Every structure is written in structure tokens, then in C-alpha cells.
Amino acid sequence: MSRTLTIKDIPREERFAPGHRMCQGCGAAILMRHITKAMPKDAIIVQATGCVEVTTTLYPETSWMHPWLHIAFENAAAGASGVEAALKVLKRKGVLPPEKDVRVVAIGGDGGTFDIGIQALSGLLERGHDVLYIVYDNEAYMNTGIQRSGATPFGAWTTTTPVGRVWHGEWRNKKDIIGIALAHRVPYVATINPAYIPDLYMKINKAMEIKGPKLIHAYSPCVPGWRYEPALTVTVARMAVQTGIWINYEVENNTLNVTTPVPKRKPVREYLRLHGRFRHLTDEEIEKIQEFVDKQVAYVNKLAGKEVIGPVEK
Amino acid sequence: MGKVVPLSGNTAVAYAVKSADVDVISAYPITPQTTIVEKLAEFIANGELDAEMIHVESEHSALSAAVGASAAGARVYTASSSQGIALMYEIMFISSSLRLPIVMTIAARALSAPINIWNDHSDFMAVSDTGWVMMMAENNQEAHDDVIIAYRIAEDPEVLLPVVTALDGYFMTHTIEPITVVEREEALDYIPKKRTWYSLDPARPITMGALGDPQWYFEFKRQQYEAMKKSREAFNTSVEEFSRRFGRRYDAVELYGDDNPDILIVAMGHVVGNLRAYLDRVRGRGVKAGVLKVKLYRPFPEDLILKHLQGVEMIGVIDRALVPGSTSAGPLYGDIVTTLAKHGFEARAVSFITGLGGRPVTHSHIETVLSKLVDLKGKPVRELPKEPLFIGVRE
């Protein structure tokens, strides 16, 4: 296993230019800044339509210092498959230098990945393209104005799961994108979180060295969609890990490794109370979410083979 | 010069794709396109073509992957039909706006519902506003040659647009004709691989597919319009050079029959062959008739259409697609009428809809069309039928 990275290992050179139109406190902005630093400089990015795409490429400006392609909403995985296939054959035919290993990274939001892009993603994973797919998950269609997606968690208010006399926010659980990726028997999947930057570097670096399809699921706090103060992005992200509603881990060669152990969990209520989107929840609903988190923690501990995530601190 | 071999339309197309030395093929199976891609898979499997085949999970991804591969600098090919083309619709606009020289063959087939795997031009016509250069072949040799010509037009640095080459499902795709194959060396001399377009190059990173707001979107579109206009000249020089090298001459439109006809039937695809045969049969029986084949559909060759149609007493336009509710339910008829009207000529044209969903257009149908045109010949334009005449349908 590689040496644990620290904040000192982070390259100084910025590869994600400022001046973009992302919100103050945007979690995805932190993610993109560090993902582009962690990636090789000559990697090619294929991006799905979404918040990040529209806020970073307003012609004639761009935040991207990597070669970057956007086609549409549902097809970042298909576009990346095409780029990867082209690089392979052009190298073989001597058009591109054979010694140069240009890496391909696809980036999409939860809507572009869990929902409308799931078919193209499945195709990419199943065909075995040498592509790292990163989904930044802000748990709803934020770019179009906070509509629920397949990644919206139970209880969350969104503009299409509003809180009223009959409805009380989202009533279904979040789709298991990691489980879907693992069902394709891919060599590497991982989760990252903007409050744990060295962990992010370790995982992007590792993914870049592994051949074949990889999926990284990134926790991406959203100020306007989750309804919290812009200064709290990292607090919210850290609290997600401390309560176990988000777990930083990786699955390599069928082995699950929790990269941020949490010996004692905080109650999920402390996470939920930071978000305006959960303000309406009743004690019963919060209890239901706590049970869901407990189950998920037990499942991950079982796969890890030890209690890496501890019990809730009373 | 290549040898003459008996090939189905689809196999003939596959041989042309092989000779073009494409780098990436991205396609999804749909009848009647399948045998093109099967043949290409065979070429790759046998080491006769060095290309990556992306076995995508849908036509949407087929064209999306083609966009990715083309953006990365590869020579790219795809093919589809009918519902597959409809599923690609979104990405067809994006590929032409990103100015990527992808070549796609449409094995023309009817659109559902009712589901129908047979030939008409519903799919081809449905994508005629997506910004692609579009050609349709009359026979298998032409379908083969069109693929080679298409890369020359698409990759012309003055153009850089994707190109559709179409052939009629079954009537051509699965019908065997003698074909002179353009061999790889002669093809690559005609279409050298120069990578004339912007691509995703780590040495010179660019952002492709940026957001174009009201300050810039319009300028992008204006340039795209200009590129399409320039493709007309590129088509001319490409077919001229093709004829010089390979001896087969094509043009955007082609007149057959009487040099100075009173009656002209405009049509596309394999039906033109039936029309030629029918005219040969009735020649010398007092009707001065001709057939005008439209090969290049986008950009629409107004100049040649005008040259051949002005002064013709009676024009019949055969459409094998139907757009209910349109001022021109036959799309080709609409283009013809508009061309005449905008250049100040009387649109002495009647719309005929025939051969939908694979129904053969027979000599008896053509006879009906021609006799109708003979009847209408002396009438003023205002008395000509304003609704399409449906030929060969149970009413």
C-alpha cells in the first residue's frame, strides 16, 4: 500500500482556472480544483452537461487547462469511450507516439450518471474501456433548479419533492451507484469527499495507475440546493463522514478498504440539522434515516472484515 | 483500378469503409444496416482493417462515441437506420455544430409506428435539418463510391461537417450488383489522412463543446451555415476529382431521358432506376419526359435544380416520406417548390407520395404518375393539386 499522503503532497500548480461562475462555497468547485491537480497534465476530460460544465466554459473563456470535451447530458461515458478507442488505435497506427499514455477521465453529475447517463455508463464499464469516470453527486438536478434525481436521499426537500400536506420530501432511498459499478466487475471503485483532500489525491492517483474502467463517487455539497451557508461546505462534508451517512472507501480487487475510519459516529441528526432541505423532518423520519445509516455501516464493516466505523456516540 | 465483384449494397459500403482506412467504428445493430457492420467486424477480425470497433449499447452512444473519437483525431464511421437514426437525432445536431467530419451511412428504412423494417425515406428526411451534408445513392456502386467521396467533403478544411451517405434498405442493402471496388491505396491517395480538424491534443489543450450564450451562439451558427454553403463547392470538386481518377461521374442532380422534356419526374434513391427503365420503355410514344435524380440533398443543389426545371411544363415530385400537416407533405416536393418560387418561377409541380414502408414502386405506379402529369400539363398553376397524390395505397 502506498504512503499516506498529506496536504504537503498536493501540487502547487493550479489546473482549474478561477473566474468560473460556480456558486460561493460550491463543493463541486473544490472537487474539480483538486481532481485536475491530481490528474496527469496530459489527460483528456469528457464532461457531461451539468452545473460544472455550464459554469466553467462560458465561451470564449474556459477553466479547463486539460483538453476537454462536452457533448451532451447523457453521454459523457460514450464520448469518453470514443476518445479512449481513438487514442488506442492512433497509437497503434503510429499517429500518436506509442510511449505516451494519455489517460481519459469522464466527469458527470448525479443526474447525468445515476439517471439519464446510466446506460452509457453501463456500456463503458461493461466494455472495459480504460477510463476513470467521476460522478460528482450533489443529490439532485441542481443545474436546472433542485429537482429530485435517483441520487436524492430519503427525506430531502427538492422542488419536485416539495413538503406539503400530502408529500414530505423525497420518499425513496438513494440509488446504489457503487453497487451498480461493482456489478460490472470493474477493477476499482472509490468514494471521495471534499473535506478529505489527501484521501482524494490518493484515490485519483491510484485510479490513474489502474488499467480498465474505474468509477469514483464524489460527495458534492451544494449551497443553494441543500440550503446551508456557503462557509459550511467543508463542515457539512466532514459531518457526513463523521455520522456515517457518507463513507470514504475504495474497492480494489474485490476488497473493501475504508480510508477514513470513524471509531465513534455522531448521530445522523447532527448532519441533517445543517441542511435546510431536511428541516421539515419529524423525529420518526430522522429515526428512519438513522436506521438506514446503521444498516449501511454494518454492511460496510462486514465487507471490510472489521468494525472500521464505530457505533453512534450517545 | 479495382476488380469487379458481385456485392450487396451493404457489403459494397463496408468495402469502401475499409478502403478509407477508418480508425474507429462505433455502431449498434439495426435492420437493414446490420450487414455493413458485420462485414466490418469480419475485416477487423481477419486483420484486413486496423480499427477499433466500439460495440456500443445504443445508437445514441454510437454517435456519441463517434463524436468522442473524431474529437480525438480519428477517422470515424458509423451506420444506422430508422429508429436508430431517430435515437441519434440529438447528437446529429451536436456533431455538425462541433464541426466533426464523421461519415455515417443510413440504410434507409421506414419509421415506426407501425413498426416496419422495410424501405422508404422517413429516416433520411427526418434528419435533413441537422446540419449534415447528405447524399443518397441510386445503386450499389454509387453507395460504395459515396463513402469515399464523403470523407473528401467532410475533411475538407473549408467544410469540416459530418456527411450522411444513404442507400435504400433491402432494394439496395441486400441486393447484389457488380461493383468495382476502390482499393485502399487509390482511396487513400484520394482521401489522404491529414487530420484537418481541431482535436483533443494534450500538447495544445482546447475546450470543445463550450457554452455559447446569446453573445456568441449566433456567430457559431452563422459559421456553420457558411461551412454548409462551402460544402457545395467541395462536393463539386470531389466528384470531379473522383471521376478523373476512377472514371465514374456523379453530380448533385442528374437528368435522364429527353434533353428538352415537357414532363420531368424528380426522385431519389433506387426508384430512379425504375424510372429510367420505364422511360426507356415508353420512349418514342409521343411524351417528351425525363427523370431528374437528386443525389445531393443537403446542401440542396438549387442551381442545378433551377437549370433543369425552369421552363418545364409539368413537374412531378416523388417522395417516399410523409410529413402530415406540412405545407409540403412530401419533403422533396417542398424543396423543389421553394427553389422555383424563390427564383421567380412558377411552381408547376405536383407532389406524389408513394412506396411507403417498403411497398415497391412499380412501372404501373410510374405509369399512373406520368399519365396524371400528362393530364395536368396545360393547366394553370392555381388549378394544380395542392394536396399530395397518393400512389399505390388503398384509400
Side-chain angles (χ1 to χ4, degrees):
Chain A
M1 207 170 129
S2 55
R3 176 178 75 87
T4 306
L5 297 177
T6 71
I7 212 85
K8 286 183 183 161
D9 294 307
I10 294 171
R12 284 184 173 272
E13 192 191 339
E14 298 292 340
R15 302 284 298 160
F16 184 68
H20 52 71
R21 279 89 174 155
M22 296 168 94
C23 302
Q24 280 189 3
C26 174
I30 302 173
L31 289 167
M32 295 307 137
R33 178 179 170 216
H34 290 289
I35 287 166
T36 50
K37 274 177 181 246
M39 281 165 55
K41 283 182 190 172
D42 59 0
I44 293 174
I45 299 173
V46 182
Q47 181 109 24
T49 309
C51 287
V52 171
E53 172 266 326
V54 299
T55 52
T56 57
T57 67
L58 181 57
Y59 187 86
E61 294 165 13
T62 182
S63 283
W64 302 92
M65 299 185 195
H66 289 88
W68 184 96
L69 170 68
H70 158 251
I71 310 172
F73 195 7
E74 66 284 61
N75 61 1
S81 302
V83 171
E84 183 255 12
L87 295 176
K88 211 155 110 187
V89 65
L90 292 177
K91 257 192 343 192
R92 198 164 68 223
K93 286 181 167 179
V95 180
L96 297 177
E99 69 284 356
K100 218 164 125 186
D101 188 19
V102 176
R103 312 300 283 151
V104 183
V105 176
I107 304 175
D110 51 295
T113 306
F114 285 60
D115 292 350
I116 199 168
I118 192 79
Q119 176 180 313
L121 175 68
S122 175
L124 166 99
L125 300 178
E126 169 269 320
R127 291 188 300 269
H129 293 277
D130 188 14
V131 172
L132 166 61
Y133 192 104
I134 301 173
V135 47
Y136 66 98
D137 178 6
N138 51 29
E139 305 196 320
Y141 290 88
M142 299 314 187
N143 189 39
T144 44
I146 325 169
Q147 293 83 19
R148 70 84 66 182
S149 76
T152 302
F154 173 84
W157 164 92
T158 70
T159 55
T160 53
T161 53
V163 177
R165 276 202 305 132
V166 179
W167 282 2
H168 216 231
E170 173 60 54
W171 59 91
R172 293 149 292 205
N173 281 327
K174 190 181 181 75
K175 194 189 274 191
D176 177 12
I177 195 72
I178 292 285
I180 291 170
L182 286 173
H184 291 78
R185 306 289 186 265
V186 296
Y188 189 71
V189 301
T191 62
I192 56 176
N193 178 308
Y196 299 85
I197 296 297
D199 184 64
L200 176 154
Y201 277 83
M202 187 273 287
K203 285 165 179 168
I204 302 281
N205 288 345
K206 187 182 267 188
M208 285 300 162
E209 281 165 19
I210 296 171
K211 287 273 170 199
K214 285 91 42 182
L215 181 108
I216 289 186
H217 183 195
Y219 180 86
S220 187
C222 172
V223 173
W226 294 6
R227 299 186 157 183
Y228 64 83
E229 287 301 311
L232 293 182
T233 296
V234 174
T235 306
V236 167
R238 190 178 298 119
M239 188 62 84
V241 171
Q242 288 172 343
T243 57
I245 199 165
W246 182 269
I247 300 171
N248 283 337
Y249 64 97
E250 59 185 1
V251 183
E252 193 182 356
N253 301 324
N254 292 324
T255 307
L256 185 142
N257 169 35
V258 174
T259 55
T260 312
V262 184
K264 282 214 166 108
R265 265 187 293 151
K266 291 183 172 161
V268 78
R269 183 185 293 273
E270 289 190 36
Y271 171 76
L272 299 173
R273 70 174 175 79
L274 294 173
H275 305 238
R277 63 174 172 157
F278 293 123
R279 189 164 296 149
H280 58 280
L281 294 182
T282 61
D283 284 346
E284 291 75 38
E285 284 165 332
I286 291 171
E287 197 42 47
K288 201 175 159 188
I289 295 171
Q290 184 64 63
E291 280 168 25
F292 174 77
V293 172
D294 293 347
K295 260 193 210 160
Q296 181 183 263
V297 165
Y299 178 66
V300 168
N301 279 338
K302 193 180 154 200
L303 292 177
K306 54 188 170 191
E307 196 184 73
V308 206
I309 313 286
V312 177
E313 229 170 13
K314 294 289 176 200
Chain B
M1 197 60 105
K3 55 186 187 301
V4 179
V5 278
L7 297 177
S8 75
N10 275 353
T11 315
V13 165
Y15 271 95
V17 175
K18 184 178 87 162
S19 293
D21 187 38
V22 302
D23 303 309
V24 175
I25 296 157
S26 166
Y28 186 80
I30 187 167
T31 302
Q33 154 264 35
T34 38
T35 48
I36 299 176
V37 183
E38 287 170 7
K39 194 72 196 170
L40 289 169
E42 201 181 301
F43 288 145
I44 298 173
N46 294 335
E48 295 174 60
L49 169 64
D50 185 4
E52 281 294 308
M53 179 171 277
I54 311 179
H55 300 97
V56 281
E57 76 300 328
S58 73
E59 286 89 356
H60 195 283
S61 284
L63 191 52
S64 300
V67 167
S70 183
R75 181 173 278 180
V76 175
Y77 177 78
T78 186
S80 194
S81 298
S82 181
Q83 305 310 117
I85 297 296
L87 191 54
M88 286 180 177
Y89 189 61
E90 180 197 24
I91 309 303
M92 287 193 73
F93 284 94
I94 295 174
S95 9
S96 60
S97 306
L98 287 179
R99 308 288 300 279
L100 294 171
I102 298 163
V103 172
M104 168 161 79
T105 298
I106 297 181
R109 164 184 152 181
L111 283 165
S112 300
I115 187 168
N116 175 297
I117 60 166
W118 294 273
N119 166 242
D120 67 26
H121 296 166
S122 304
D123 49 6
F124 181 89
M125 289 299 176
V127 293
S128 64
D129 57 356
T130 57
W132 288 52
V133 174
M134 297 181 79
M135 302 190 272
M136 184 176 276
E138 178 193 347
N139 55 52
N140 293 356
Q141 181 69 59
E142 192 177 343
H144 173 85
D145 295 342
D146 278 359
V147 172
I148 310 280
I149 294 167
Y151 280 106
R152 177 120 173 173
I153 300 168
E155 294 177 4
D156 184 324
E158 293 293 309
V159 179
L160 298 180
L161 286 174
V163 179
V164 159
T165 74
L167 73 166
D168 281 323
Y170 293 112
F171 291 112
M172 291 168 66
T173 57
H174 290 63
T175 303
I176 290 171
E177 290 182 341
I179 303 296
T180 305
V181 173
V182 176
E183 299 294 348
R184 184 188 142 100
E185 291 68 30
E186 44 187 9
L188 290 182
D189 196 50
Y190 173 73
I191 43 169
K193 295 175 93 176
K194 286 195 196 149
R195 302 220 291 161
T196 48
W197 60 102
Y198 281 107
S199 60
L200 299 164
D201 178 1
R204 287 172 307 156
I206 55 166
T207 289
M208 297 178 84
L211 175 69
D213 73 357
Q215 306 260 20
W216 284 105
Y217 180 88
F218 204 174
E219 280 70 24
F220 277 96
K221 290 290 135 182
R222 182 67 184 85
Q223 288 187 6
Q224 199 184 332
Y225 178 86
E226 214 50 40
M228 180 59 94
K229 255 176 77 175
K230 284 182 179 160
S231 74
R232 181 70 179 89
E233 185 51 34
F235 175 89
N236 281 349
T237 54
S238 298
V239 291
E240 251 167 56
E241 182 60 21
F242 189 90
S243 119
R244 204 180 62 74
R245 286 167 183 250
F246 303 103
R248 293 183 292 280
R249 179 167 293 282
Y250 299 107
D251 207 348
V253 306
E254 189 192 325
L255 178 71
Y256 183 78
D258 203 292
D259 279 345
N260 200 8
D262 294 337
I263 292 174
L264 207 44
I265 301 175
V266 187
M268 295 175 72
H270 83 282
V271 162
V272 173
N274 293 6
L275 285 158
R276 289 178 198 266
Y278 182 79
L279 290 182
D280 287 347
R281 239 177 67 188
V282 300
R283 183 161 296 153
R285 294 193 203 162
V287 187
K288 281 173 72 188
V291 53
L292 194 67
K293 160 185 163 181
V294 178
K295 170 185 178 59
L296 181 67
Y297 189 62
R298 291 288 181 264
F300 197 67
E302 286 183 38
D303 51 341
L304 292 181
I305 294 287
L306 211 57
K307 178 183 151 199
H308 292 297
L309 290 189
Q310 57 175 292
V312 172
E313 279 193 54
M314 206 53 234
I315 301 159
V317 184
I318 291 183
D319 268 290
R320 304 192 51 242
L322 177 66
V323 188
S326 167
T327 53
S328 47
L332 179 59
Y333 167 79
D335 286 302
I336 297 290
V337 168
T338 307
T339 302
L340 289 168
K342 82 189 239 195
H343 294 276
F345 293 94
E346 271 198 328
R348 300 194 53 77
V350 179
S351 173
F352 295 93
I353 307 283
T354 185
L356 297 192
R359 187 159 300 178
V361 181
T362 63
H363 279 196
S364 99
H365 294 144
I366 296 170
E367 189 176 358
T368 311
V369 168
L370 194 60
S371 65
K372 197 79 199 167
L373 293 171
V374 170
D375 289 349
L376 293 166
K377 218 169 83 172
K379 297 220 160 130
V381 168
R382 65 174 183 281
E383 285 176 31
L384 295 179
K386 299 303 170 217
E387 298 279 333
L389 305 176
F390 292 85
I391 307 296
V393 70
R394 288 186 288 269
E395 300 268 7

